[in-house]
């Protein structure tokens, strides 16, 4: 269930954080789209383009996208992509 009491300033901070990482995603033919913020402050994203099928997308999500968002929007507890396969070790 998506959080309904998120204000426009909050979402602008999220988008601004994502805008910091987007050029790197776009350089590899990808992008990211915000789907929702859950009640427990988990940001749900969809990785688009090449990012949706890249074997390194889980690492990109954690090392790039999540770090950028958590730094700019500390209220967010974690970032998840609905279409990322977990890293295999």
């Amino acid at each position: 269930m998506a959080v309904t009491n998120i204000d426009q300033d909050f979402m602008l901070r999220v988008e601004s954080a994502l805008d910091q990482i987007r050029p790197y995603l776009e350089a590899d033919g990808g992008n990211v789209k915000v789907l929702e913020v859950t009640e427990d402050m988990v940001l749900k994203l969809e990785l688009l383009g090449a990012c949706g099928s890249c074997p390194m997308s889980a690492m990109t999500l954690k090392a790039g996208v999540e770090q950028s968002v958590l730094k700019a929007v500390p209220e967010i507890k974690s970032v998840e992509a609905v279409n990322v396969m977990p890293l295999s070790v």
Side-chain angles (χ1 to χ4, degrees), residues 49-89:
C51 290
S53 59
C54 174
M56 298 301 291
S57 60
M59 185 178 294
T60 299
L61 178 70
K62 289 297 175 187
V65 176
E66 184 175 58
Q67 292 306 307
S68 180
V69 170
L70 295 180
K71 182 177 178 183
V73 191
E75 299 93 330
I76 296 291
K77 302 298 180 211
S78 69
V79 178
E80 297 176 3
V82 297
N83 58 334
V84 169
M85 296 181 46
L87 282 175
S88 56
V89 272

Side-chain angles (χ1 to χ4, degrees), residues 13-77:
R13 289 190 296 136
V14 169
E15 287 293 340
S16 178
L18 293 174
D19 285 344
Q20 298 299 310
I21 199 82
R22 275 193 172 105
Y24 303 103
L25 300 174
E26 291 169 347
D28 288 327
N31 207 333
V32 64
K33 173 183 166 186
V34 173
L35 297 178
E36 69 173 317
V37 176
T38 68
E39 289 180 9
D40 23 337
M41 299 308 284
V42 175
L43 177 63
K44 300 261 185 166
L45 303 172
E46 180 180 7
L47 295 179
L48 305 171
C51 290
S53 59
C54 174
M56 298 301 291
S57 60
M59 185 178 294
T60 299
L61 178 70
K62 289 297 175 187
V65 176
E66 184 175 58
Q67 292 306 307
S68 180
V69 170
L70 295 180
K71 182 177 178 183
V73 191
E75 299 93 330
I76 296 291
K77 302 298 180 211

